[in-house]
C-alpha cells in the first residue's frame, strides 16, 4: 500500500494514500546518519560576503530537527498546506540530546545546524536546559521566528547551551504587510528580540522580502529604512533580500484575489508545479528596486553607508527621477525608541 504518494498508472499521474497508514512520529524517526560518506573529503565554500551564508557553507554541520513542521503555520506566503510544514510534531529534549550524542560519536564533530522551519521556543528552552544538565558541549544554530517569547533570559540560556547564530524572517519590514502576511510580529518587536540575541553574542540573520502583493515603492523604501536602522542599532549582523514568489501550496497561491493579485495562465509543467506567475495591479517596478536593495544591504552588513541618502542606492540620478524613487517616511529614531521603550512586562 502507498501512503501520500504520486504514482503513474496507465500514463496518468495519480495521488494515492492508504487510510490505515500514518506518518512515523518525529520522536520515532531515529538518528540521522552519515555512515559511508567521506566527510573529510568535502570542500568548504565561501560563496559570498555574507556572514550567514559563510556559516552555512564554510565547514560542515551535523543536521538535527527539533520539531517536524511549523508550530506557527500561518504565514500567507508559505506552503502551509503541505505535510512537511502543516504537520507539527515535537520530540522530547532527552531524545534530541541522545541523537546529538549519537551523531557526535559517528562524525567526531560537535557542530549542529537545526533545520526546523521555525524552531519552537519551548523546545529550544528544553533542549538548552538538557544540554547543560547533561554537560553536553556543542555549537549550534538554527531558524526561528522573531517572537517576544525569546526574552533576554531565554536568549542567554540558549547562548550558554552553545547557540552561536539564528536566522529568522523579517520579510517586508512593514507592519501593514506583516499583518497581511499573518507573520505575527511587528517591526518594533523584531527590533527587541534581535537586539537580545545580538547582546548575548549570537549572530542574527534576517530573511528579507520585496515584491509582496500590493507592496508599493514607498513601502519598499520605508522597509529599507527600517532595515538600515536595525543594522545601525546592532540588531542585525547579516541579511538577504529575496524576491517574492507566489507558490501553489501557499494561501496566496490558493486565494490570490484575497491578496489583490491575479494569476496568469500557467506554462506547461513537466516536472513540478510550484511558482505561479501573477500580475500585481500596484504596478511597482520591483526589478528596478532589487539591485539597489542588495547594494544597500551589502554596505550595511559591513558597517557602511548608514548616513547615505537611501535613494542614492537606486541607479543613476536620471534613473531615480524617472522611477520617482521617494524619500523614506519612517521616523529616523523608530528602532532606537522601540529599544528604549521596552517595559519590563514585555519580557515576562
Amino acid at each position: 500500500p502507498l501512503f501520500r504518494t504520486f504514482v503513474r498508472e496507465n500514463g496518468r499521474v495519480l495521488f494515492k494514500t492508504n487510510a490505515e497508514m500514518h506518518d512515523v512520529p518525529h520522536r520515532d524517526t531515529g538518528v540521522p546518519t552519515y555512515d559511508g560518506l567521506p566527510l573529510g573529503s568535502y570542500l568548504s565554500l565561501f560563496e559570498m560576503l555574507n556572514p550567514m551564508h559563510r556559516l552555512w557553507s564554510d565547514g560542515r554541520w551535523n543536521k538535527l530537527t527539533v520539531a517536524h513542521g511549523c508550530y506557527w503555520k500561518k504565514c500567507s506566503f508559505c506552503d502551509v498546506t503541505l505535510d512537511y510544514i502543516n504537520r507539527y510534531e515535537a520530540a522530547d529534549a532527552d531524545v534530541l540530546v541522545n541523537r546529538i550524542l549519537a551523531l557526535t560519536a559517528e562524525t567526531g564533530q560537535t557542530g549542529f545546524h537545526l533545520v526546523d522551519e521555525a524552531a519552537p521556543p519551548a523546545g529550544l528552552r528544553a533542549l538548552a536546559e538538557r544540554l547543560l544538565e547533561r554537560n553536553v558541549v556543542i555549537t549550534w544554530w538554527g531558524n526561528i521566528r522573531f517572537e517576544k517569547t525569546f526574552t533576554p533570559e531565554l536568549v542567554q540560556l540558549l547562548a550558554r547551551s552553545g547557540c552561536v547564530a539564528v536566522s529568522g524572517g523579517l520579510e517586508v519590514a512593514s507592519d501593514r504587510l506583516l499583518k497581511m502576511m499573518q507573520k505575527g510580529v511587528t517591526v518594533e518587536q523584531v527590533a527587541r528580540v534581535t537586539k537580545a540575541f545580538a547582546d548575548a553574542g549570537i549572530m542574527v540573520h534576517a530573511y528579507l522580502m520585496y515584491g509582496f502583493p500590493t507592496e508599493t515603492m514607498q513601502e519598499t523604501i520605508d522597509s529599507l529604512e527600517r532595515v538600515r536602522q536595525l543594522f545601525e542599532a546592532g540588531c542585525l549582523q547579516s541579511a538577504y533580500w529575496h524576491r517574492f514568489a507566489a507558490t501553489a501550496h501557499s494561501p496566496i497561491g490558493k486565494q490570490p484575489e484575497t491578496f489583490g493579485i491575479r494569476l496568469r495562465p500557467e506554462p506547461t509543467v513537466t516536472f513540478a508545479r510550484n511558482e505561479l506567475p501573477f500580475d500585481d495591479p500596484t504596478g511597482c517596478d520591483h526589478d528596478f528596486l532589487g539591485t539597489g536593495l542588495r547594494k544597500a544591504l551589502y554596505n550595511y552588513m559591513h558597517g557602511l553607508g548608514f548616513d547615505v541618502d537611501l535613494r542614492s542606492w537606486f541607479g543613476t540620478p536620471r534613473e531615480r527621477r524617472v522611477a520617482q524613487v521617494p524619500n523614506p517616511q519612517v521616523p529616523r529614531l523608530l528602532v532606537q525608541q522601540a529599544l528604549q521603550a521596552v517595559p519590563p512586562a514585555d519580557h515576562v
Side-chain angles (χ1 to χ4, degrees):
L2 297 173
F3 180 63
R4 210 169 55 245
T5 305
F6 287 98
V7 296
R8 186 171 67 176
E9 292 182 354
N10 300 320
R12 296 178 59 205
V13 175
L14 306 173
F15 181 76
K16 290 193 171 186
T17 190
N18 188 302
E20 296 180 359
M21 300 179 70
H22 59 82
D23 291 282
V24 177
H26 179 56
R27 65 180 181 274
D28 298 330
T29 54
V31 183
T33 179
Y34 298 92
D35 185 42
L37 294 176
L39 299 182
S41 300
Y42 285 85
L43 295 174
S44 292
L45 300 175
F46 192 176
E47 298 174 285
M48 58 182 68
L49 296 177
N50 177 299
M52 184 56 78
H53 287 127
R54 181 172 187 177
L55 190 69
W56 280 330
S57 58
D58 188 10
R60 72 166 298 277
W61 301 86
N62 294 322
K63 305 295 182 179
L64 186 73
T65 307
V66 174
H68 179 282
C70 179
Y71 68 95
W72 180 251
K73 56 186 175 186
K74 294 181 182 179
C75 298
S76 59
F77 56 84
C78 187
D79 292 334
V80 295
T81 61
L82 294 181
D83 174 81
Y84 82 96
I85 293 176
N86 187 53
R87 180 171 56 86
Y88 177 72
E89 293 180 349
D92 182 79
D94 277 313
V95 170
L96 296 175
V97 174
N98 290 340
R99 291 176 181 177
I100 287 171
L101 293 172
L103 279 166
T104 300
E106 179 185 291
T107 65
Q109 296 173 319
T110 57
F112 285 82
H113 175 198
L114 308 185
V115 294
D116 297 63
E117 293 298 312
L124 290 180
R125 177 184 289 277
L127 175 62
E129 290 174 344
R130 200 68 83 249
L131 287 169
L132 294 170
E133 289 170 4
R134 295 175 59 174
N135 295 314
V136 177
V137 180
I138 63 169
T139 301
W140 64 269
W141 64 283
N143 194 50
I144 64 167
R145 292 181 64 250
F146 294 132
E147 59 169 83
K148 64 182 180 181
T149 310
F150 286 105
T151 63
E153 176 270 330
L154 174 54
V155 168
Q156 291 290 339
L157 172 66
L158 301 182
R160 292 197 304 273
S161 74
C163 179
V164 294
V166 292
S167 58
L170 174 55
E171 318 308 353
V172 178
S174 157
D175 285 341
R176 179 187 83 85
L177 294 174
L178 286 170
K179 184 176 181 180
M180 189 175 177
M181 292 175 179
Q182 297 191 56
K183 189 70 184 177
V185 300
T186 65
V187 175
E188 288 79 5
Q189 178 181 313
V190 169
R192 293 191 285 268
V193 171
T194 52
K195 191 65 165 64
F197 277 101
D199 287 347
I202 297 172
M203 183 176 72
V204 182
H205 173 88
Y207 297 108
L208 301 170
M209 183 187 298
Y210 67 102
F212 191 78
T214 73
E215 182 179 357
T216 64
M217 183 177 292
Q218 183 69 63
E219 286 177 316
T220 303
I221 298 300
D222 288 349
S223 293
L224 178 59
E225 167 60 16
R226 295 183 183 97
V227 169
R228 183 196 69 78
Q229 292 185 31
L230 289 168
F231 270 98
E232 189 173 36
C235 299
L236 301 178
Q237 292 74 52
S238 177
Y240 189 81
W241 289 102
H242 300 260
R243 175 67 184 269
F244 168 78
T247 56
H249 304 287
S250 67
I252 291 178
K254 290 185 173 297
Q255 297 178 311
E257 65 283 349
T258 304
F259 299 88
I261 62 173
R262 185 184 46 146
L263 298 182
R264 299 176 190 166
E266 293 184 51
T268 301
V269 176
T270 58
F271 175 65
R273 180 175 179 265
N274 187 30
E275 186 173 338
L276 306 176
F278 68 92
D279 291 312
D280 186 340
T282 306
C284 181
D285 187 354
H286 299 295
D287 289 333
F288 169 74
L289 294 172
T291 300
L293 292 173
R294 291 187 290 271
K295 185 177 179 181
L297 197 60
Y298 177 87
N299 282 271
Y300 298 159
M301 284 193 294
H302 290 82
L304 304 172
F306 293 130
D307 296 327
V308 173
D309 184 340
L310 257 66
R311 294 172 299 177
S312 67
W313 302 116
F314 300 94
T316 65
R318 181 179 181 280
E319 289 171 333
R320 293 195 290 272
R321 287 195 300 271
V322 171
Q324 297 181 329
V325 178
N327 276 313
Q329 296 181 352
V330 177
R332 295 280 291 184
L333 299 178
L334 175 72
V335 169
Q336 181 178 328
Q337 291 173 349
L339 296 175
Q340 293 173 346
V342 183
D346 190 64
H347 293 314
V348 173

